[in-house]
Amino acid sequence: MEGLKVSDANLVVCVHPSKGHRVSEAVLRELSSHLFQFSEIFDGVLLAYDVNIVEKNAKILPGIHPYFGVRLKAKLLLFSPEPNMLLEARVVKLTPESIHVIVLGFASAVIIDEDIREEFDYRTKNGKEVYCSKVHRRHVIKVGTMIRFLVKSLDKEILHICGSLKPSNTGSIHWLDKDFEEISLIDRSGTKRERENEMKMQEHAVVGGKEISLGNGQIKKSKKRRLIEES
């Protein structure tokens, strides 16, 4: 999925003097407070981190209430969606006017009817709301389906995304991946048949209006017959 990236960062975490005897705990707590929230510092949503404290001796920062500045190196997993990126999400609600999804379990997104391609038709099937493709009957979107959609716009502060199912490479991930595998199998089988046909053509030739085999045994016999005729 697009929008995920790993970044290396050099950070300084401010620790209250009362936490001076538990610096590592204070650092992890401070970083944890930024999880699943958009941060302008990181330019994304912090999903996970791996920390290595560089200096064990923290420096006192100037101020009325002095804090300790702890330097550390961190590897950060960030979620930074942008327009025109392809994201994956789980469907949580369907209506005739919209599809509601959750991205990575915390960010909400909605796809309204004008951004759903005409191929999909909303209907009730076995008492459940679904979006069925009129082109491919097995391409169905329902609650619980993992879909791939295009980011149309987003509000970073509240982590709300407006998506689109207009492109042909969007929809149910299960169907899209399965369809791609079937196309690959067809391509591979077609290539195999072409190679077999070429081998058959190489093994046979037409001489004097008659088809003869060009196998090793036939080549030897043909050479022997030609030598007899020439003598």
Side-chain angles (χ1 to χ4, degrees):
M1 182 177 73
E2 297 179 349
L4 292 174
K5 63 180 180 180
V6 176
S7 298
D8 294 320
N10 296 316
L11 304 175
V12 176
V13 176
C14 298
V15 178
H16 193 273
S18 62
K19 305 294 183 182
H21 61 294
R22 297 195 300 269
V23 174
S24 297
E25 180 182 330
V27 168
L28 295 177
R29 181 172 295 179
E30 177 64 24
L31 289 175
S32 296
S33 67
H34 294 279
L35 286 172
F36 305 109
Q37 298 178 11
F38 181 82
S39 171
E40 293 184 356
I41 298 174
F42 302 139
D43 190 28
V45 180
L46 181 62
L47 301 181
Y49 56 83
D50 184 22
V51 176
N52 179 28
I53 297 178
V54 178
E55 292 183 357
K56 300 297 183 182
N57 299 322
K59 296 181 179 180
I60 298 179
L61 302 176
I64 300 177
H65 301 287
Y67 280 72
F68 292 104
V70 182
R71 293 183 59 201
L72 52 87
K73 289 183 178 293
K75 191 175 290 291
L76 310 175
L77 176 60
L78 301 172
F79 176 53
S80 303
E82 296 291 343
N84 298 320
M85 281 186 175
L86 289 173
L87 301 184
E88 298 176 0
R90 184 177 298 277
V91 177
V92 294
K93 182 181 178 181
L94 295 176
T95 71
E97 296 82 22
S98 59
I99 298 176
H100 299 259
V101 299
I102 294 293
V103 183
L104 296 175
F106 71 93
S108 63
V110 63
I111 305 166
I112 59 177
D113 56 352
E114 66 182 34
D115 295 316
I116 302 173
R117 60 182 183 271
E118 296 180 357
E119 170 189 341
F120 290 103
D121 186 25
Y122 175 85
R123 66 182 66 172
T124 301
K125 189 175 182 180
N126 298 326
K128 297 181 179 180
E129 296 84 0
V130 298
Y131 273 88
C132 295
S133 169
K134 292 179 285 187
V135 179
H136 306 282
R137 294 182 179 179
R138 295 183 180 180
H139 193 176
V140 178
I141 297 175
K142 57 186 178 181
V143 172
T145 299
M146 290 295 297
I147 67 169
R148 185 175 294 124
F149 69 96
L150 188 75
V151 177
K152 187 177 179 181
S153 62
L154 70 154
D155 187 325
K156 293 182 177 180
E157 292 185 1
I158 62 175
L159 292 178
H160 187 270
I161 303 169
C162 293
S164 171
L165 288 179
K166 287 289 188 180
S168 59
N169 60 341
T170 59
S172 167
I173 294 176
H174 175 74
W175 187 89
L176 291 171
D177 292 347
K178 185 177 180 181
D179 185 58
F180 177 77
E181 290 176 0
E182 290 177 352
I183 292 174
S184 299
L185 288 173
I186 292 172
D187 291 342
R188 286 197 295 270
S189 62
T191 303
K192 183 178 179 181
R193 284 195 300 269
E194 290 175 0
R195 287 199 299 266
E196 291 176 350
N197 292 334
E198 288 178 358
M199 291 177 65
K200 290 180 181 179
M201 291 177 65
Q202 291 173 1
E203 291 176 355
H204 294 80
V206 177
V207 178
K210 296 182 180 180
E211 183 179 295
I212 63 172
S213 174
L214 297 182
N216 291 333
Q218 293 296 330
I219 292 174
K220 291 179 180 179
K221 290 180 181 179
S222 298
K223 287 183 178 179
K224 185 176 181 181
R225 187 181 298 110
R226 187 167 62 249
L227 289 173
I228 295 174
E229 291 176 352
E230 289 177 355
S231 61

